[in-house]
Amino acid sequence: MNNKNTICLWYNNDALEAATFYANTFPDSKVGNVHHAPGDYPAGKQGEVLTVEFTVLGIPCVGLNGGQMFKHSEAFSFQVSTDDQEETDRLWNAIVNNGGQASACGWCKDKWGLSWQISPRVLVDAVTSKDPAIAKRAFEAMMKMTKIDIATIEDAVAGR
């Protein structure tokens, strides 16, 4: 990779599986070079996949098969802006239905423990509204949700 900044994501031994899932799920995503270990290392053997270069929504990443030493946490997440309910549902369901886990307020985790915020643009616009009443209503509606329902957010914005 020749990028100035690349996100390195630690996996047990399934970086290629994760990268392939992301490439098949998100637009502007792909798997790049796969590098094999030149020698044995604490989490693997010579010849096994060590790193995988990939992009997620145009963001350069490298997956490192480093073993079980470190786990993903909510302290890092990808925030994905969606344009409509269909896109929101497709991405959310792809993550959750592939061994992932639903969480609150548009957050979910994939089967590798990486956190995702599937955030419709209408939600972000509403909770950052310059009108404090709109922002509060949208925020309160969001706090009751797992996957974001755009119609409910639009009703909150309208005061219904």
Side-chain angles (χ1 to χ4, degrees):
M1 291 192 134
N2 293 322
N3 300 299
K4 192 85 161 170
N5 185 18
T6 301
I7 296 171
C8 182
L9 299 168
W10 186 288
Y11 294 89
N12 183 7
N13 63 359
D14 41 16
L16 182 56
E17 179 187 357
T20 301
F21 171 75
Y22 305 145
N24 291 333
T25 302
F26 297 98
D28 194 20
S29 302
K30 67 180 181 180
V31 177
N33 294 319
V34 177
H35 302 280
H36 298 269
D40 291 350
Y41 61 108
K45 301 287 182 198
Q46 179 177 348
E48 293 178 349
V49 173
L50 180 61
T51 62
V52 179
E53 297 175 9
F54 62 98
T55 58
V56 176
L57 295 158
I59 299 170
C61 300
V62 62
L64 169 66
N65 283 331
Q68 298 181 34
M69 183 179 221
F70 299 111
K71 306 288 183 211
H72 296 291
S73 80
E74 290 82 355
F76 175 88
S77 65
F78 281 102
Q79 184 177 22
V80 181
S81 296
T82 57
D83 293 320
D84 54 36
Q85 193 66 53
E86 180 181 352
E87 184 182 22
T88 301
D89 292 347
R90 183 182 72 76
L91 297 177
W92 174 276
N93 292 336
I95 292 168
V96 172
N97 294 339
N98 186 50
Q101 180 181 359
S103 189
C105 305
W107 289 63
C108 56
K109 284 186 184 180
D110 65 28
K111 73 186 235 177
W112 302 279
L114 189 62
S115 293
W116 298 83
Q117 297 176 58
I118 308 301
S119 303
R121 293 180 197 282
V122 69
L123 170 66
V124 175
D125 291 346
V127 298
T128 60
S129 172
K130 292 183 181 184
D131 182 332
I134 290 174
K136 183 175 186 201
R137 289 193 306 264
F139 184 78
E140 288 173 349
M142 175 198 69
M143 292 301 293
K144 298 174 187 170
M145 297 181 193
T146 51
K147 178 175 61 177
I148 302 300
D149 179 77
I150 292 175
T152 302
I153 297 299
E154 289 172 337
D155 285 347
V157 167
R160 297 189 289 262

